[in-house]
Amino acid sequence: MIRGVDMQICCMEQGSDDVKRWKVYIAAFVCLILLAGCGKKETGSELLTETQETVELAEEPLEPVVTETSEGIALHIYCGDELAENIVQKTVYVETVDEQTVMEELLAALEISGEVGLNSISFGTNQGGDKVVMLDFNQAFADYVKKLSSAGENIVMGSMTNTFLDCYQCELLLVTVEGKVLETNYNVYEEYLEYYPYVESTYRVVAELLETENGVSISCPQIEGLGDEQIQEKWNEIMLTNEQMAVEGWSGGGTYTVTFTLKTMTADTLSILMDGIYSDGSYNEQTFKYTYNIDLNTGESIRLADHVDVELLAEHMFEGKSYYVDEALAPYFLERIQSIYESPDSLARSLQGYDYAEDGSDPYGYSYLADGKVWLCMEVPHSMGDYIEIELDAQ
């Protein structure tokens, strides 16, 4: 009997241990559910919370990546075109750049008024090594976006995404509203946003061919589809008149050919390089270059001195720095600069007169804009190629 009692007590103790273990398991399971629920409650989206948790926050905020010019700090802002069909890039010039400045310029470009604003901005790196910018907006932003059509929402969200990714040179963006997921009539923004498709220009530049029987062939640039018809007509007339004068002034017995290359074509700027070659009927050919640089916001000609400190540039060029030319030509080019211009001041006066002037005066030389850089076209001896293109350091 004693043995039976012992066995019964042992079984009771074992059963008690099993119950305790099950209680522990159940408690752990409930905790996991609660933790998962807490994550979802925090942002309103389990996926968004999980995405945020993979981002390693930066210890210091990222600095904007912008270019300083004589007009101010150049800031790229994205917004809808005049028909609200495409996202386009435009450039504004500001005194300082921070998240509030970017937001103010963005809202102005999108024509959004009221209480819409940015609560905070933070930065980090995800597990793939991509830089992430995280924006938290106020409720007024969500209320505004929810009233938009699908196309309108795409313009606003794409413009916001592209503007901040461009300014801070990040690859990915996360957006929240008051710390929670942004949910609209068309989308739930739970994951990373990348660059939205955009167009650098909504206009076209076509060639009007001017040909004569005495060997002249000129491809004259003509603008089509520019929103400002007055600017379009003005520059089409300028370019056509200039090229027609060249046609009428050609009296050689050989050939005279000009083609053009679009170096910059954005909503703000059009920069065109004209490449020419002529011969007098012999085998001796000469090349030449000239440019048209147009501010499409004002309709004015962009001259080198408008956006480059020509005095500082002249000093640097005399020292053989802050520019790049073909390595084989570099020593000859520097020698030529120093022999033609007696001092940096003399070179600066020449650079001051670069590019097409609307007062009708002849330019001393030409420049163009390409990939955010300024290039000079300077005349050199025929043995060096007649004209040389010089890339300047960022000004």
Side-chain angles (χ1 to χ4, degrees):
M1 291 296 295
I2 295 176
R3 287 181 182 177
V5 171
D6 289 343
M7 290 179 65
Q8 186 177 4
I9 294 173
C10 181
C11 288
M12 290 176 64
E13 289 177 350
Q14 183 176 353
S16 177
D17 290 341
D18 289 341
V19 170
K20 289 179 180 178
R21 279 197 297 270
W22 275 107
K23 286 182 178 180
V24 171
Y25 294 152
I26 292 170
F29 181 68
V30 169
C31 286
L32 288 173
I33 293 175
L34 290 174
L35 286 172
C38 288
K40 188 169 183 178
K41 184 179 179 181
E42 182 182 352
T43 66
S45 164
E46 212 171 304
L47 177 58
L48 175 59
T49 300
E50 291 173 356
T51 304
Q52 290 175 329
E53 289 174 349
T54 64
V55 178
E56 182 179 348
L57 294 176
E59 295 182 1
E60 298 290 337
L62 292 182
E63 293 296 324
V65 181
V66 291
T67 302
E68 294 190 19
T69 73
S70 59
E71 300 173 65
I73 301 174
L75 174 64
H76 289 158
I77 296 294
Y78 295 78
C79 58
D81 61 14
E82 292 187 351
L83 299 177
E85 294 178 345
N86 299 288
I87 298 172
V88 297
Q89 181 197 87
K90 61 182 295 186
T91 303
V92 297
Y93 296 92
V94 295
E95 293 183 2
T96 59
V97 177
D98 56 28
E99 63 271 20
Q100 293 304 323
T101 304
V102 176
M103 196 63 196
E104 289 172 6
E105 294 294 338
L106 178 60
L107 293 177
L110 291 171
E111 299 181 351
I112 299 176
S113 57
E115 301 300 319
V116 172
L118 184 65
N119 288 334
S120 65
I121 182 171
S122 55
F123 306 92
T125 305
N126 72 356
Q127 293 175 335
D130 294 318
K131 288 187 291 185
V132 182
V133 55
M134 292 165 284
L135 304 178
D136 184 57
F137 289 95
N138 62 13
Q139 185 59 43
F141 176 79
D143 295 340
Y144 174 81
V145 176
K146 288 177 182 178
K147 296 177 182 178
L148 299 174
S149 65
S150 176
E153 179 180 322
N154 185 74
I155 291 290
V156 169
M157 295 301 295
S159 298
M160 177 271 297
T161 299
N162 289 5
T163 297
F164 278 93
L165 288 181
D166 190 319
C167 180
Y168 292 95
Q169 292 295 286
C170 292
E171 289 80 33
L172 302 170
L173 181 141
L174 280 176
V175 59
T176 54
V177 172
E178 304 292 352
K180 293 181 170 56
V181 66
L182 170 61
E183 185 170 353
T184 70
N185 297 325
Y186 306 98
N187 293 287
V188 179
Y189 293 90
E190 306 175 278
E191 300 182 79
Y192 292 121
L193 297 176
E194 301 181 62
Y195 268 100
Y196 279 58
Y198 70 96
V199 294
E200 289 193 335
S201 61
T202 56
Y203 58 93
R204 301 171 301 282
V205 178
V206 299
E208 181 169 333
L209 189 59
L210 307 177
E211 290 185 306
T212 66
E213 294 180 354
N214 64 340
V216 176
S217 175
I218 299 177
S219 292
C220 176
Q222 293 288 274
I223 306 169
E224 293 182 351
L226 191 66
D228 192 318
E229 293 185 1
Q230 186 174 356
I231 293 177
Q232 176 175 299
E233 292 175 2
K234 169 187 173 178
W235 279 95
N236 282 348
E237 182 178 355
I238 288 173
M239 292 185 288
L240 189 57
T241 299
N242 285 351
E243 304 310 327
Q244 286 175 336
M245 290 175 59
V247 171
E248 295 168 1
W250 176 249
S251 59
T255 59
Y256 183 100
T257 304
V258 179
T259 58
F260 68 84
T261 304
L262 301 176
K263 290 297 187 177
T264 293
M265 187 178 174
T266 68
D268 302 295
T269 306
L270 177 60
S271 186
I272 305 174
L273 172 64
M274 309 294 293
D275 280 294
I277 184 169
Y278 67 89
S279 69
D280 55 7
S282 66
Y283 291 104
N284 185 25
E285 293 182 335
Q286 302 283 331
T287 61
F288 57 95
K289 297 177 185 288
Y290 55 101
T291 62
Y292 297 109
N293 301 304
I294 309 168
D295 184 327
L296 296 176
N297 295 311
T298 66
E300 300 298 317
S301 174
I302 303 173
R303 308 192 73 191
L304 179 65
D306 292 337
H307 55 101
V308 170
D309 184 335
V310 293
E311 293 183 355
L312 180 61
L313 174 60
E315 291 177 6
H316 287 173
M317 291 185 73
F318 247 71
E319 297 171 3
K321 65 182 184 180
S322 297
Y323 67 87
Y324 305 94
V325 297
D326 185 289
E327 187 175 353
L329 298 177
Y332 303 103
F333 178 72
L334 178 59
E335 182 181 347
R336 177 174 173 79
I337 287 289
Q338 294 173 342
S339 62
I340 291 179
Y341 302 99
E342 56 188 28
S343 67
D345 288 341
S346 177
L347 175 57
R349 286 193 295 272
S350 175
L351 295 172
Q352 184 76 34
Y354 265 49
D355 297 310
Y356 174 82
E358 296 186 50
D359 61 7
S361 59
D362 291 330
Y364 293 161
Y366 296 92
S367 71
Y368 64 80
L369 306 168
D371 300 322
K373 295 290 188 71
V374 181
W375 292 69
L376 303 182
C377 300
M378 299 186 75
E379 191 172 1
V380 293
H382 183 63
S383 60
M384 295 177 65
D386 299 320
Y387 269 79
I388 188 170
E389 294 181 40
I390 305 148
E391 179 186 357
L392 303 184
D393 275 346
Q395 296 294 308

